[in-house]
Amino acid sequence: MSYQQHFSMGSGSRPARRNFEFGRTYVVRPQGKHQATIVWLHGLGDNGSSCSQLLENLPLPNIKWICPTAPTRPVALLGGFSCTAWFDVGEISEESPDDWEGLDASAVHIANLLSTEPADVKVAIGGFSMGAATALYSATCAAFGRYGNGNAYPINLRAVVGLSGWLPGSRSLRSKVEGSHEAARRAASLPIFLCHGTSDDVVSYSYGEKSAHCLNTAGFRNLTFKSYEGLGHYTVPKEMEEVRNWLTARLGLEGSRS
């Protein structure tokens, strides 16, 4: 079933509305007591199904995983070829312009998926590559208390995980956080776990490292950055085991299966 979202930026002379049709959402139910719900976001050209298959084998029985599929859209990085993407991107660098409308639409979709979770369940976002970038953008929205378009951000995020990703909007982040006492407080209290391989030939390790530094200097001080020697643009069991341990500790989960 597709989910169609109309997203309005209300931006003067620009087209005020683009249509984003999100793909199928896959859910991995908790095997034990439901203590946390995490939206996990796939990379460019992938889908929620492959994420759900990875996560259902991760021994975290108290977590419900929600794995949405991004809209299919033309991507400038691929010469305009259409594939699943959380937002448009021309190049993965600090100089690349950010697709704020696409980022906001995906952040709204993710927040909507978390909005109906029980009040006593902790909610978090994670992802790989472009999914990690979208998760980090959601983290900045949570700190500011609003999306890029000014609408209120409604979710109390408890943790964010990003694997092999980068930070959209890095250039203006620090000034935005420092301009608000509440944003600074929320940024300092949000746990973030970032992992990156030193041999990543898609999202360079140096850019992942710069993104982590940017977040930290902007006030996201509860941040852990782990590097993996020789790892390319993919995940490995050791990395996922560290994600499991970090989530268990940060979300206060009851004993997980070994």
Side-chain angles (χ1 to χ4, degrees):
M1 179 185 296
S2 67
Y3 173 88
Q4 189 164 312
Q5 179 179 334
H6 295 289
F7 186 79
S8 174
M9 290 291 284
S11 52
S13 61
R14 286 194 308 161
R17 175 173 288 191
R18 275 165 63 195
N19 193 36
F20 296 99
E21 188 168 336
F22 290 81
R24 181 176 171 184
T25 296
Y26 298 80
V27 177
V28 180
R29 303 285 175 188
Q31 299 302 306
K33 180 184 177 183
H34 182 195
Q35 292 183 285
T37 295
I38 301 178
V39 170
W40 192 269
L41 307 169
H42 62 75
L44 180 65
D46 206 346
N47 58 62
S49 175
S50 59
C51 291
S52 67
Q53 291 170 36
L54 170 71
L55 296 166
E56 68 184 0
N57 294 316
L58 200 60
L60 284 165
N62 306 116
I63 292 180
K64 171 185 173 183
W65 300 95
I66 301 176
C67 304
T69 300
T72 297
R73 68 177 79 195
V75 178
L77 181 69
L78 305 177
F81 177 79
S82 290
C83 68
T84 53
W86 298 108
F87 54 93
D88 190 20
V89 60
E91 61 175 338
I92 300 171
S93 77
E94 289 167 279
E95 285 69 45
S96 180
D98 292 295
D99 173 19
W100 297 114
E101 191 177 0
L103 283 161
D104 271 349
S106 289
V108 167
H109 182 62
I110 295 159
N112 285 343
L113 291 171
L114 290 171
S115 65
T116 56
E117 291 303 294
D120 62 339
V121 167
K122 297 169 183 174
V123 295
I125 304 174
F128 173 77
S129 191
M130 179 179 263
T134 309
L136 289 177
Y137 179 70
S138 293
T140 63
C141 292
F144 301 145
R146 64 185 188 276
Y147 299 103
N149 69 345
N151 291 340
Y153 185 81
I155 302 300
N156 178 23
L157 274 187
R158 302 298 291 271
V160 175
V161 177
L163 311 181
S164 307
W166 72 95
L167 173 66
S170 59
R171 292 182 296 274
S172 59
L173 180 63
R174 185 172 180 175
S175 62
K176 287 181 180 177
V177 174
E178 289 179 345
S180 164
H181 176 74
E182 270 301 294
R185 182 189 63 78
R186 285 189 290 256
S189 65
L190 178 60
I192 300 177
F193 187 59
L194 302 179
C195 303
H196 218 109
T198 61
S199 298
D200 194 325
D201 58 352
V202 177
V203 181
S204 74
Y205 174 77
S206 64
Y207 195 34
E209 196 174 39
K210 282 179 188 174
S211 295
H213 178 72
C214 177
L215 283 162
N216 193 264
T217 56
F220 290 84
R221 296 190 176 88
N222 194 353
L223 183 148
T224 302
F225 180 79
K226 298 228 33 159
S227 60
Y228 293 83
E229 191 66 36
L231 180 66
H233 198 64
Y234 49 85
T235 62
V236 288
K238 179 186 176 185
E239 183 182 32
M240 296 308 295
E241 176 67 12
E242 295 202 36
V243 168
R244 181 180 84 94
N245 292 338
W246 186 86
L247 286 171
T248 298
R250 291 303 178 282
L251 297 177
L253 302 179
E254 293 174 7
S256 297
R257 298 173 307 190
S258 58

